Amino acid sequence: MSETATTVRVNLGERSYDVHVGPGILDDVGAHVHELDRSSAIGKVFMIGNPTVDALYGDRVRRSIADAVGAAPIDIQIPDGEQYKNFETLTSIYDRVLAEGADRGAVLVALGGGVVGDVVGFAAATILRGVRFVQIPTTLLAQVDSSVGGKTAVNHSAGKNLIGAFHQPAVVVSDPDTFTTLPDREYRAGLAEVVKYGVILDEKLFDLIEERGDEVSARAPQLLTELVARSVAIKADVVERDEKEGGLRAVLNFGHTVGHAVEKVTGYSRFLHGEAVALGMVAAARLSVKIGACSSDVPQRLEALLTKLGLDTEIPSDIDRAAIEHAVGFDKKVRGDLVTFIVCDSMGACSRKPLRAADIRPAL
Ligand code: NAD
Ligand code: GLY
């Protein structure tokens, strides 16, 4: 196995797991799948991905699994795109896995971005009341966020991620070398989530991205390994303390309340999720200043860094502010007429504050 990999442990009792991060470790996937056999015998292994990622990395992962486990994984392809994160795709996975005679030892391996990870995770949560799954995230967003923490879901016509379950992966294998093929926009959108961890919980991480912004943009492999591992460690710590989002875990939604609203009012087609989160983080930081929670240097530094990383910081003027405010009021995290807003107290520190949707208007 790779000697340059870093491992972050997510401690959740009997559901604990390792997140391995390192350049080249796609070749170690098979060994990590095989290791699962030690806790309880593995049955059939299914590798689920989409044609885009499969064409780039599928053969390598298949070979690694076949070498370590002694049999090639059973291949399942789902269409590429957020619009396919739905019941139809889920059913196609159920049909195939059950037709192959899977038992409770089955292991589903999700190879791809957050869409693949979320839908495969939900399939694993529900097949035979729960089988193990392995996350092989290949986007920056998926490596720093969606592959860790056990949120799985599909979309419903009433909204995104409304049907889901908490189901932790058995192991996560994150290879930052996969970013070499990631489209520029996807890469930059993922950076917004890394910046988020710095703003909410780790000023030193924010400083590091500020100081080495050019290397970050150039996708320097060792630096990215560090950024992914640090982001995962922050997320792991939050998830360990509040797995089911009873309270604390909500801090991970910094920038997401306005971000989700912007995505919704623009029909989920104009912005990538991370791009909308960048806009939402700036709004949240400005709001934090307006309510006296932090000084203006927080939004100033945040805007400067996001701009340096190629992300927009101003919600375009053609987007109706009243529509955003309305969408905030319908966020799935609204209780009564109060939204739990994540505000900055200083760079690297944040807190939860219940606010009315109308309170955000001055920051938009
Ligand atoms: P995505 O999965 O749609 O991937 C983006 C695009 O990049 C796709 O076309 C994909 O095929 C392609 N791709 C993936 N890896 C590649 C690579 N290495 N090289 C070239 N192309 C590659 O998008 P995403 O941003 O990874 O994930 C977004 C999804 O994640 C959303 O559905 C969102 O709801 C979900 N999400 C879940 C959580 C969670 O905690 N479960 C957190 C954040 C986001
Ligand atoms: N992406 C936010 C969370 O996992 O809680």
Side-chain angles (χ1 to χ4, degrees):
M1 289 201 207
S2 168
E3 281 163 19
T4 52
T6 302
T7 300
V8 178
R9 181 86 177 154
V10 184
N11 289 300
L12 291 167
E14 61 185 16
R15 284 168 293 105
S16 299
Y17 54 97
D18 287 330
V19 181
H20 303 284
V21 186
I25 68 168
L26 274 188
D27 297 321
D28 298 344
V29 169
H32 293 301
V33 171
H34 188 57
E35 257 173 27
L36 300 179
D37 207 45
R38 280 201 270 170
S39 52
S40 100
I42 62 169
K44 291 188 171 160
V45 178
F46 296 83
M47 192 176 109
I48 309 175
N50 69 39
T52 313
V53 180
D54 194 76
L56 294 163
Y57 305 110
D59 284 347
R60 244 175 100 187
V61 176
R62 255 187 296 277
R63 203 175 316 119
S64 167
I65 294 174
D67 287 350
V69 174
I74 298 162
D75 231 341
I76 302 180
Q77 294 295 310
I78 62 175
D80 186 3
E82 179 73 36
Q83 69 273 34
Y84 299 107
K85 190 175 139 180
N86 59 19
F87 290 110
E88 208 181 326
T89 301
L90 189 62
T91 304
S92 72
I93 296 173
Y94 290 152
D95 290 350
R96 189 68 200 291
V97 171
L98 296 175
E100 294 286 349
D103 61 18
R104 303 247 4 239
V107 176
L108 309 193
V109 178
L111 173 69
V115 167
V116 170
D118 275 14
V119 71
V120 173
F122 187 58
T126 45
I127 289 172
L128 305 176
R129 298 199 182 88
V131 296
R132 285 173 287 180
F133 84 115
V134 175
Q135 289 269 23
I136 319 289
T138 59
T139 64
L140 179 54
L141 178 132
Q143 290 194 13
V144 299
D145 189 359
S146 62
S147 61
V148 177
K151 282 188 180 176
T152 73
V154 293
N155 300 328
H156 184 274
S157 53
K160 271 193 69 175
N161 295 327
L162 291 185
I163 309 296
F166 285 97
H167 187 59
Q168 300 292 341
V171 64
V172 182
V173 182
S174 288
D175 184 342
D177 277 354
T178 57
F179 304 152
T180 52
T181 54
L182 203 56
D184 201 49
R185 242 186 111 186
E186 297 288 350
Y187 178 70
R188 292 184 188 286
L191 287 176
E193 298 283 357
V194 184
V195 171
K196 176 193 80 177
Y197 291 117
V199 178
I200 58 172
L201 289 165
D202 188 349
E203 184 175 14
K204 287 198 164 53
L205 175 61
F206 190 93
D207 294 344
L208 176 71
I209 309 168
E210 244 178 3
E211 281 156 21
R212 299 177 66 182
D214 292 339
E215 284 170 82
V216 173
S217 290
R219 311 184 193 192
Q222 277 311 330
L223 179 59
L224 280 165
T225 299
E226 183 178 350
L227 294 183
V228 171
R230 284 177 72 157
S231 299
V232 168
I234 294 169
K235 181 156 185 183
D237 182 56
V238 172
V239 168
E240 284 165 5
R241 290 191 280 153
D242 178 24
E243 183 184 3
K244 303 268 171 83
E245 201 164 315
L248 172 75
R249 185 165 173 168
V251 299
L252 300 176
N253 296 325
F254 174 67
H256 285 58
T257 308
V258 169
H260 282 150
V262 168
E263 284 183 277
K264 189 171 182 182
V265 303
T266 53
Y268 296 99
S269 55
R270 181 160 166 186
F271 300 101
L272 295 178
H273 176 67
E275 293 170 336
V277 167
L279 300 172
M281 287 196 292
V282 172
R286 289 178 185 161
L287 179 65
S288 306
V289 175
K290 285 194 194 301
I291 64 172
C294 69
S295 62
S296 58
D297 68 307
V298 174
Q300 278 163 11
R301 281 180 73 191
L302 176 60
E303 281 176 59
L305 181 56
L306 293 172
T307 304
K308 187 169 183 182
L309 298 174
L311 287 154
D312 287 338
T313 58
E314 296 295 337
I315 299 170
S317 56
D318 63 296
I319 300 176
D320 183 13
R321 269 43 186 177
I324 297 175
E325 187 185 309
H326 185 76
V328 165
F330 279 90
D331 192 278
K332 67 174 178 287
K333 295 184 174 75
V334 171
R335 299 275 180 279
D337 63 349
L338 292 176
V339 188
T340 302
F341 221 85
I342 311 306
V343 297
C344 308
D345 299 320
S346 63
M347 186 56 80
C350 65
S351 52
R352 288 166 277 142
K353 193 162 179 58
L355 292 172
R356 283 172 299 124
D359 296 333
I360 64 154
R361 181 69 84 91
L364 296 176

